[in-house]
Amino acid sequence: MNSPELQNITIKELIDQHPTLIKLFMNMGLLCIGCPAETFHTVTDIAGEYGLNLNHLVDQINRAIQNTTISTNSRT
């Protein structure tokens, strides 16, 4: 996902598209999973809420998505 697109996606949309990100969020101590605000909070909102560097968060999410895609494709 490109950076602007990822910055503006809601956490719910992101998790619905990439459920493996639940583990990343939990490992980072982000309490987004199951929170009612996940339906309207974006990645940008979460970075601000937790005092995280937005670009670093976006990079981590993209890496996790890529790793999942690579491992899924290597099984086929």
Side-chain angles (χ1 to χ4, degrees), residues 14-32:
L14 186 60
I15 296 300
D16 285 349
Q17 291 175 23
H18 305 283
T20 56
L21 290 175
I22 292 171
K23 184 176 180 179
L24 172 69
F25 279 50
M26 292 179 77
N27 287 342
M28 294 180 69
L30 305 179
L31 303 175
C32 305

Side-chain angles (χ1 to χ4, degrees), residues 2-63:
N2 66 44
S3 187
E5 178 184 26
L6 187 53
Q7 290 176 19
N8 295 312
I9 191 170
T10 67
I11 300 304
K12 176 151 180 38
E13 290 171 320
L14 186 60
I15 296 300
D16 285 349
Q17 291 175 23
H18 305 283
T20 56
L21 290 175
I22 292 171
K23 184 176 180 179
L24 172 69
F25 279 50
M26 292 179 77
N27 287 342
M28 294 180 69
L30 305 179
L31 303 175
C32 305
I33 309 308
C35 173
E38 75 178 0
T39 59
F40 58 86
H41 273 175
T42 64
V43 172
T44 299
D45 295 332
I46 296 307
E49 190 77 25
Y50 286 91
L52 302 172
N53 178 289
L54 178 59
N55 291 327
H56 181 69
L57 179 58
V58 167
D59 287 344
Q60 286 185 297
I61 292 170
N62 271 324
R63 258 188 263 128

